[in-house]
Amino acid sequence: MAVAAIGSKMAAGSADNINRVYDNSNTSFEVTAIERDADGNPTSNMIFLDDAKVTLSVSATQKVFDGTVGNENVADGVVYLKNDNTDYSFTIGNIAMNENLGNNAIEISMDSADCGKAVVAIYVPSDEFNSIPVSGPTDIKIDMNSTVEVERLGFKYFSIIIGIVFILFITITCACIKEKSTVDMKTASIGEMFKALVQNDQAMTIVITIVLANTALYITSNLLIYFFKYDLAGSNWQGNYTLFNTFAGGMQILAMMLLFPLLRKMFSTLKIFYICVISEIFGYLVLLGMAITGITNVFAFFIPGFFIMSASGILNVVITVFLANTVDYGEIKNYRRDESVIFSMQTFVVKLASGIAALVASVCLAIFNIQQDSASVLDMAGLAEKVRNSGVLASIDNSSVMGLRMIMTIGPTIVLVIALLFFKKKYILNDEKLQEISVELVQRKTKGM
C-alpha cells in the first residue's frame, strides 16, 4: 500500500503519460466476452462480439506503447494491457464495470501500438454475461490507465526512504550504544571455531539434520507455485496459491506458539521431533495422493498443509533446543563453551539448505521443461489462444505434471526418512544423558575446573 501511494503521488506530477485512442476507424478489434463463475474462474460460455463498436482509450508512458522488450518470449513491440497493470473501466451496452467491482477482468493485446489490430478479452460475472446481446452491434467503451510507472516510481522512492531511515537508525545505534564487557575471555580463532564444531559430534548431527529437514521443506516451497499453476491450474490459481501460502505460514507460526507447548506437556522433546518428522512424511504422502486423484479444491489441500507446515514450525523450535543441548555437551567434551559458533551454524545451514533446494528445483524445472512465467506477456496470437481455451493458458504435458508431483512430494519424503534414520542413529542426548551432563558441569564448577 505504501509503495502504491508513493508511486501514485510521484506519477501524478509526471508529464510523461500520453493518451491514445483506438476505435473502429483505425483498429480492427477481435472482442470476446467470457463468463466468470462465482469463484472467479472463466467458464466455457463466451460471446464473440464481431460487430462491436469499440472505443479504447489508453493513458500510458511511451515505454508502454513501445512495447515489451526482454525475455518474455514474445516479439518486441507487443502492447499487453490487463487488470494487473492498469486502472480500468469498461462498458458493454448498458453494463458498466471497473477494477473495484470485483469478479471481472480485461486483457488487450496488440502486436504493436500501430499494427491496426487488437485482441480483447473481457471477463464478466454470470448476471452481466447473460445481459450481453448475442447479436447486432454492441457499443463497447474501454478506458485504461497504465500503472506500470506507478509501481516503478513507488518502489524507487520507497527504497530510497528505507535506505535513508536505515542509515539514520544505524548511525544512532552506533553512536549511542557502547559495549561494556566485564568478561575476560580469549577470543577463538577461525580454526579453533571450526575445530570446536567438528569435535562436537552432537552439534554436527544436529547441523546435518537441520540441512536435511529444511532441504525437504524448501524443495516443496520452491516448486509450489508451479504445482498450483500447472497441476491444479485454473485461472484463479494465483489467488489459490496466495491463500494456501497464507494458511501455511499461519500454521507454522501457530504451531510454534501453541502446539509445541501443548505437546511438551505430554512428550519429551525427542519424541516431539519424531512425531513432527513422521507428520511431515504423512502430509507429503497425502498431498501426492490428492494430486493423483485429481482433487483441485484449494481448501482440501489445507489438510496436508497442516501436517507439513505445523510440523515444520515445531521442528524449528525443537532443533533450536537440541542445539542448546549440544553446547553443554561440547563443554563436557572440549572444556569450552562455544555458543556463538554452534548457534551461528543454524543460520548458515538454513541458507545452505535453501541453496540445495533451489538447485534441486532448478534441475526439476529444466528436466521437465517447466517455466514460471512463459506467458507473462501475451501477443495477439497468445491471447486469442487463451480465449479459445476458456481463459486458461495451455498447460504442460502429463509427464511433466507427474514429474513435478514426484519431486515435490516423494523427494522431500526420501530426504526426511534419511534425516530421521541419521538422527536416530547419531543423536544420544536424551533426557538421562542431559541430566548426567548437567551434574558433571556442576561438579566441574564446584572443583574450579
Side-chain angles (χ1 to χ4, degrees), residues 381-394:
L383 182 53
E385 177 67 21
K386 182 177 180 180
V387 170
R388 286 191 290 270
N389 289 330
S390 300
V392 180
L393 292 172

Side-chain angles (χ1 to χ4, degrees), residues 131-150:
S131 300
I132 298 175
V134 295
S135 61
T138 303
D139 290 331
I140 298 177
K141 182 179 180 182
I142 304 170
D143 292 306
M144 307 194 83
N145 182 20
S146 172
T147 58
V148 173
E149 194 68 7
V150 170

